[in-house]
PDB file of all heavy atoms in Angstrom:
ATOM      1  N   ALA N   9      -7.331  16.732  -4.256  1.00 84.00           N
ATOM      2  CA  ALA N   9      -8.673  16.375  -4.757  1.00 84.00           C
ATOM      3  C   ALA N   9      -8.659  15.089  -5.580  1.00 84.00           C
ATOM      4  O   ALA N   9      -9.555  14.251  -5.438  1.00 84.00           O
ATOM      5  CB  ALA N   9      -9.253  17.524  -5.581  1.00 84.00           C
ATOM      6  N   ASP N  10      -7.653  14.888  -6.417  1.00 85.00           N
ATOM      7  CA  ASP N  10      -7.593  13.686  -7.236  1.00 85.00           C
ATOM      8  C   ASP N  10      -7.384  12.440  -6.396  1.00 85.00           C
ATOM      9  O   ASP N  10      -8.054  11.422  -6.610  1.00 85.00           O
ATOM     10  CB  ASP N  10      -6.487  13.790  -8.289  1.00 85.00           C
ATOM     11  CG  ASP N  10      -6.816  14.792  -9.393  1.00 85.00           C
ATOM     12  OD1 ASP N  10      -8.023  15.034  -9.626  1.00 85.00           O
ATOM     13  OD2 ASP N  10      -5.864  15.339  -9.987  1.00 85.00           O
ATOM     14  N   LEU N  11      -6.460  12.515  -5.448  1.00 86.00           N
ATOM     15  CA  LEU N  11      -6.249  11.366  -4.556  1.00 86.00           C
ATOM     16  C   LEU N  11      -7.481  11.098  -3.697  1.00 86.00           C
ATOM     17  O   LEU N  11      -7.892   9.949  -3.520  1.00 86.00           O
ATOM     18  CB  LEU N  11      -5.032  11.591  -3.656  1.00 86.00           C
ATOM     19  CG  LEU N  11      -4.748  10.491  -2.620  1.00 86.00           C
ATOM     20  CD1 LEU N  11      -4.549   9.123  -3.296  1.00 86.00           C
ATOM     21  CD2 LEU N  11      -3.541  10.850  -1.770  1.00 86.00           C
ATOM     22  N   PHE N  12      -8.117  12.148  -3.219  1.00 83.00           N
ATOM     23  CA  PHE N  12      -9.316  12.000  -2.383  1.00 83.00           C
ATOM     24  C   PHE N  12     -10.403  11.267  -3.179  1.00 83.00           C
ATOM     25  O   PHE N  12     -11.024  10.331  -2.675  1.00 83.00           O
ATOM     26  CB  PHE N  12      -9.799  13.381  -1.919  1.00 83.00           C
ATOM     27  CG  PHE N  12     -10.845  13.312  -0.857  1.00 83.00           C
ATOM     28  CD1 PHE N  12     -10.649  12.603   0.325  1.00 83.00           C
ATOM     29  CD2 PHE N  12     -12.044  13.993  -1.017  1.00 83.00           C
ATOM     30  CE1 PHE N  12     -11.633  12.544   1.307  1.00 83.00           C
ATOM     31  CE2 PHE N  12     -13.028  13.946  -0.029  1.00 83.00           C
ATOM     32  CZ  PHE N  12     -12.810  13.222   1.129  1.00 83.00           C
ATOM     33  N   ARG N  13     -10.655  11.680  -4.428  1.00 81.00           N
ATOM     34  CA  ARG N  13     -11.641  10.994  -5.272  1.00 81.00           C
ATOM     35  C   ARG N  13     -11.249   9.529  -5.470  1.00 81.00           C
ATOM     36  O   ARG N  13     -12.102   8.636  -5.411  1.00 81.00           O
ATOM     37  CB  ARG N  13     -11.740  11.677  -6.645  1.00 81.00           C
ATOM     38  CG  ARG N  13     -12.794  12.727  -6.710  1.00 81.00           C
ATOM     39  CD  ARG N  13     -12.981  13.222  -8.136  1.00 81.00           C
ATOM     40  NE  ARG N  13     -13.137  14.653  -8.118  1.00 81.00           N
ATOM     41  CZ  ARG N  13     -12.160  15.554  -8.263  1.00 81.00           C
ATOM     42  NH1 ARG N  13     -10.943  15.163  -8.486  1.00 81.00           N
ATOM     43  NH2 ARG N  13     -12.414  16.829  -8.175  1.00 81.00           N
ATOM     44  N   ASN N  14      -9.983   9.257  -5.728  1.00 84.00           N
ATOM     45  CA  ASN N  14      -9.506   7.898  -5.939  1.00 84.00           C
ATOM     46  C   ASN N  14      -9.682   7.053  -4.672  1.00 84.00           C
ATOM     47  O   ASN N  14     -10.079   5.883  -4.751  1.00 84.00           O
ATOM     48  CB  ASN N  14      -8.038   7.922  -6.370  1.00 84.00           C
ATOM     49  CG  ASN N  14      -7.566   6.561  -6.873  1.00 84.00           C
ATOM     50  OD1 ASN N  14      -8.353   5.788  -7.395  1.00 84.00           O
ATOM     51  ND2 ASN N  14      -6.295   6.303  -6.717  1.00 84.00           N
ATOM     52  N   LEU N  15      -9.430   7.624  -3.528  1.00 83.00           N
ATOM     53  CA  LEU N  15      -9.639   6.896  -2.272  1.00 83.00           C
ATOM     54  C   LEU N  15     -11.104   6.542  -2.067  1.00 83.00           C
ATOM     55  O   LEU N  15     -11.443   5.423  -1.703  1.00 83.00           O
ATOM     56  CB  LEU N  15      -9.134   7.743  -1.083  1.00 83.00           C
ATOM     57  CG  LEU N  15      -7.638   7.980  -1.008  1.00 83.00           C
ATOM     58  CD1 LEU N  15      -7.320   9.064   0.014  1.00 83.00           C
ATOM     59  CD2 LEU N  15      -6.916   6.699  -0.662  1.00 83.00           C
ATOM     60  N   LEU N  16     -11.988   7.508  -2.316  1.00 81.00           N
ATOM     61  CA  LEU N  16     -13.410   7.291  -2.079  1.00 81.00           C
ATOM     62  C   LEU N  16     -14.037   6.349  -3.110  1.00 81.00           C
ATOM     63  O   LEU N  16     -15.058   5.730  -2.831  1.00 81.00           O
ATOM     64  CB  LEU N  16     -14.148   8.637  -2.046  1.00 81.00           C
ATOM     65  CG  LEU N  16     -13.759   9.508  -0.858  1.00 81.00           C
ATOM     66  CD1 LEU N  16     -14.545  10.805  -0.891  1.00 81.00           C
ATOM     67  CD2 LEU N  16     -13.946   8.790   0.458  1.00 81.00           C
ATOM     68  N   ARG N  17     -13.409   6.210  -4.278  1.00 82.00           N
ATOM     69  CA  ARG N  17     -13.910   5.243  -5.255  1.00 82.00           C
ATOM     70  C   ARG N  17     -13.815   3.821  -4.739  1.00 82.00           C
ATOM     71  O   ARG N  17     -14.493   2.934  -5.234  1.00 82.00           O
ATOM     72  CB  ARG N  17     -13.123   5.350  -6.555  1.00 82.00           C
ATOM     73  CG  ARG N  17     -13.389   6.597  -7.364  1.00 82.00           C
ATOM     74  CD  ARG N  17     -12.446   6.701  -8.523  1.00 82.00           C
ATOM     75  NE  ARG N  17     -12.656   5.644  -9.490  1.00 82.00           N
ATOM     76  CZ  ARG N  17     -13.238   5.832 -10.680  1.00 82.00           C
ATOM     77  NH1 ARG N  17     -13.666   7.001 -11.010  1.00 82.00           N
ATOM     78  NH2 ARG N  17     -13.411   4.819 -11.494  1.00 82.00           N
ATOM     79  N   ARG N  18     -13.014   3.594  -3.733  1.00 81.00           N
ATOM     80  CA  ARG N  18     -12.845   2.242  -3.160  1.00 81.00           C
ATOM     81  C   ARG N  18     -13.987   1.897  -2.198  1.00 81.00           C
ATOM     82  O   ARG N  18     -14.121   0.766  -1.766  1.00 81.00           O
ATOM     83  CB  ARG N  18     -11.506   2.133  -2.429  1.00 81.00           C
ATOM     84  CG  ARG N  18     -10.292   2.414  -3.277  1.00 81.00           C
ATOM     85  CD  ARG N  18     -10.207   1.420  -4.436  1.00 81.00           C
ATOM     86  NE  ARG N  18      -8.935   1.515  -5.120  1.00 81.00           N
ATOM     87  CZ  ARG N  18      -8.785   2.057  -6.339  1.00 81.00           C
ATOM     88  NH1 ARG N  18      -9.817   2.518  -6.978  1.00 81.00           N
ATOM     89  NH2 ARG N  18      -7.609   2.110  -6.888  1.00 81.00           N
ATOM     90  N   HIS N  19     -14.784   2.888  -1.842  1.00 83.00           N
ATOM     91  CA  HIS N  19     -15.885   2.708  -0.908  1.00 83.00           C
ATOM     92  C   HIS N  19     -17.157   2.381  -1.708  1.00 83.00           C
ATOM     93  O   HIS N  19     -17.600   3.171  -2.534  1.00 83.00           O
ATOM     94  CB  HIS N  19     -16.098   3.961  -0.079  1.00 83.00           C
ATOM     95  CG  HIS N  19     -17.297   3.930   0.800  1.00 83.00           C
ATOM     96  ND1 HIS N  19     -17.379   3.135   1.911  1.00 83.00           N
ATOM     97  CD2 HIS N  19     -18.488   4.565   0.693  1.00 83.00           C
ATOM     98  CE1 HIS N  19     -18.562   3.301   2.477  1.00 83.00           C
ATOM     99  NE2 HIS N  19     -19.251   4.151   1.759  1.00 83.00           N
ATOM    100  N   ALA N  20     -17.740   1.206  -1.454  1.00 85.00           N
ATOM    101  CA  ALA N  20     -19.017   0.835  -2.099  1.00 85.00           C
ATOM    102  C   ALA N  20     -20.164   1.477  -1.318  1.00 85.00           C
ATOM    103  O   ALA N  20     -20.142   1.505  -0.095  1.00 85.00           O
ATOM    104  CB  ALA N  20     -19.171  -0.677  -2.125  1.00 85.00           C
ATOM    105  N   ALA N  21     -21.149   1.978  -2.050  1.00 90.00           N
ATOM    106  CA  ALA N  21     -22.288   2.639  -1.404  1.00 90.00           C
ATOM    107  C   ALA N  21     -23.570   2.329  -2.166  1.00 90.00           C
ATOM    108  O   ALA N  21     -23.556   2.177  -3.377  1.00 90.00           O
ATOM    109  CB  ALA N  21     -22.051   4.140  -1.351  1.00 90.00           C
ATOM    110  N   THR N  43     -24.783   9.017  -3.301  1.00 93.00           N
ATOM    111  CA  THR N  43     -24.256   7.873  -2.553  1.00 93.00           C
ATOM    112  C   THR N  43     -23.855   8.304  -1.147  1.00 93.00           C
ATOM    113  O   THR N  43     -23.316   7.520  -0.374  1.00 93.00           O
ATOM    114  CB  THR N  43     -23.038   7.224  -3.256  1.00 93.00           C
ATOM    115  OG1 THR N  43     -22.046   8.225  -3.466  1.00 93.00           O
ATOM    116  CG2 THR N  43     -23.451   6.595  -4.587  1.00 93.00           C
ATOM    117  N   MET N 157     -25.730  -0.643  -6.272  1.00 94.00           N
ATOM    118  CA  MET N 157     -24.522  -0.190  -5.588  1.00 94.00           C
ATOM    119  C   MET N 157     -23.646   0.608  -6.549  1.00 94.00           C
ATOM    120  O   MET N 157     -23.738   0.428  -7.766  1.00 94.00           O
ATOM    121  CB  MET N 157     -23.729  -1.391  -5.037  1.00 94.00           C
ATOM    122  CG  MET N 157     -24.497  -2.274  -4.106  1.00 94.00           C
ATOM    123  SD  MET N 157     -25.028  -1.468  -2.586  1.00 94.00           S
ATOM    124  CE  MET N 157     -23.433  -1.183  -1.798  1.00 94.00           C
ATOM    125  N   TYR N 158     -22.799   1.455  -5.981  1.00 93.00           N
ATOM    126  CA  TYR N 158     -21.837   2.228  -6.764  1.00 93.00           C
ATOM    127  C   TYR N 158     -20.472   1.989  -6.174  1.00 93.00           C
ATOM    128  O   TYR N 158     -20.255   2.155  -4.966  1.00 93.00           O
ATOM    129  CB  TYR N 158     -22.199   3.719  -6.723  1.00 93.00           C
ATOM    130  CG  TYR N 158     -21.463   4.540  -7.739  1.00 93.00           C
ATOM    131  CD1 TYR N 158     -21.787   4.489  -9.089  1.00 93.00           C
ATOM    132  CD2 TYR N 158     -20.437   5.393  -7.358  1.00 93.00           C
ATOM    133  CE1 TYR N 158     -21.149   5.261 -10.019  1.00 93.00           C
ATOM    134  CE2 TYR N 158     -19.757   6.164  -8.288  1.00 93.00           C
ATOM    135  CZ  TYR N 158     -20.124   6.093  -9.609  1.00 93.00           C
ATOM    136  OH  TYR N 158     -19.472   6.869 -10.564  1.00 93.00           O
ATOM    137  N   HIS N 159     -19.535   1.538  -7.035  1.00 90.00           N
ATOM    138  CA  HIS N 159     -18.179   1.253  -6.583  1.00 90.00           C
ATOM    139  C   HIS N 159     -17.205   1.479  -7.728  1.00 90.00           C
ATOM    140  O   HIS N 159     -17.444   1.028  -8.847  1.00 90.00           O
ATOM    141  CB  HIS N 159     -18.067  -0.185  -6.066  1.00 90.00           C
ATOM    142  CG  HIS N 159     -16.686  -0.542  -5.642  1.00 90.00           C
ATOM    143  ND1 HIS N 159     -15.857  -1.298  -6.427  1.00 90.00           N
ATOM    144  CD2 HIS N 159     -15.979  -0.230  -4.540  1.00 90.00           C
ATOM    145  CE1 HIS N 159     -14.682  -1.470  -5.810  1.00 90.00           C
ATOM    146  NE2 HIS N 159     -14.745  -0.811  -4.676  1.00 90.00           N
ATOM    147  N   ASP N 160     -16.137   2.173  -7.433  1.00 88.00           N
ATOM    148  CA  ASP N 160     -15.048   2.396  -8.384  1.00 88.00           C
ATOM    149  C   ASP N 160     -15.554   2.971  -9.711  1.00 88.00           C
ATOM    150  O   ASP N 160     -15.133   2.568 -10.795  1.00 88.00           O
ATOM    151  CB  ASP N 160     -14.278   1.098  -8.633  1.00 88.00           C
ATOM    152  CG  ASP N 160     -12.854   1.358  -9.165  1.00 88.00           C
ATOM    153  OD1 ASP N 160     -12.363   2.505  -9.016  1.00 88.00           O
ATOM    154  OD2 ASP N 160     -12.271   0.432  -9.749  1.00 88.00           O
ATOM    155  N   GLY N 161     -16.527   3.901  -9.599  1.00 87.00           N
ATOM    156  CA  GLY N 161     -16.988   4.626 -10.772  1.00 87.00           C
ATOM    157  C   GLY N 161     -18.040   3.910 -11.620  1.00 87.00           C
ATOM    158  O   GLY N 161     -18.403   4.395 -12.680  1.00 87.00           O
ATOM    159  N   THR N 162     -18.527   2.741 -11.145  1.00 90.00           N
ATOM    160  CA  THR N 162     -19.522   2.015 -11.930  1.00 90.00           C
ATOM    161  C   THR N 162     -20.621   1.471 -11.002  1.00 90.00           C
ATOM    162  O   THR N 162     -20.421   1.315  -9.807  1.00 90.00           O
ATOM    163  CB  THR N 162     -18.909   0.832 -12.719  1.00 90.00           C
ATOM    164  OG1 THR N 162     -18.295  -0.072 -11.802  1.00 90.00           O
ATOM    165  CG2 THR N 162     -17.878   1.303 -13.720  1.00 90.00           C
ATOM    166  N   TYR N 163     -21.763   1.187 -11.618  1.00 91.00           N
ATOM    167  CA  TYR N 163     -22.882   0.614 -10.887  1.00 91.00           C
ATOM    168  C   TYR N 163     -22.722  -0.903 -10.816  1.00 91.00           C
ATOM    169  O   TYR N 163     -22.250  -1.537 -11.751  1.00 91.00           O
ATOM    170  CB  TYR N 163     -24.214   0.947 -11.574  1.00 91.00           C
ATOM    171  CG  TYR N 163     -24.530   2.430 -11.518  1.00 91.00           C
ATOM    172  CD1 TYR N 163     -24.402   3.240 -12.633  1.00 91.00           C
ATOM    173  CD2 TYR N 163     -24.969   3.004 -10.319  1.00 91.00           C
ATOM    174  CE1 TYR N 163     -24.700   4.589 -12.557  1.00 91.00           C
ATOM    175  CE2 TYR N 163     -25.266   4.362 -10.257  1.00 91.00           C
ATOM    176  CZ  TYR N 163     -25.130   5.128 -11.372  1.00 91.00           C
ATOM    177  OH  TYR N 163     -25.409   6.486 -11.306  1.00 91.00           O
ATOM    178  N   HIS N 164     -23.148  -1.466  -9.678  1.00 90.00           N
ATOM    179  CA  HIS N 164     -23.064  -2.905  -9.433  1.00 90.00           C
ATOM    180  C   HIS N 164     -24.329  -3.347  -8.715  1.00 90.00           C
ATOM    181  O   HIS N 164     -25.118  -2.527  -8.244  1.00 90.00           O
ATOM    182  CB  HIS N 164     -21.858  -3.247  -8.546  1.00 90.00           C
ATOM    183  CG  HIS N 164     -20.543  -2.862  -9.120  1.00 90.00           C
ATOM    184  ND1 HIS N 164     -19.838  -3.708  -9.931  1.00 90.00           N
ATOM    185  CD2 HIS N 164     -19.824  -1.723  -9.029  1.00 90.00           C
ATOM    186  CE1 HIS N 164     -18.711  -3.104 -10.313  1.00 90.00           C
ATOM    187  NE2 HIS N 164     -18.682  -1.887  -9.773  1.00 90.00           N
TER     188      HIS N 164
END
Side-chain angles (χ1 to χ4, degrees):
D10 290 334
L11 176 58
F12 192 54
R13 268 189 222 93
N14 192 29
L15 292 167
L16 294 180
R17 289 173 65 106
R18 302 299 191 252
H19 174 72
T43 55
M157 303 297 292
Y158 193 74
H159 177 257
D160 202 19
T162 59
Y163 293 106
H164 299 271

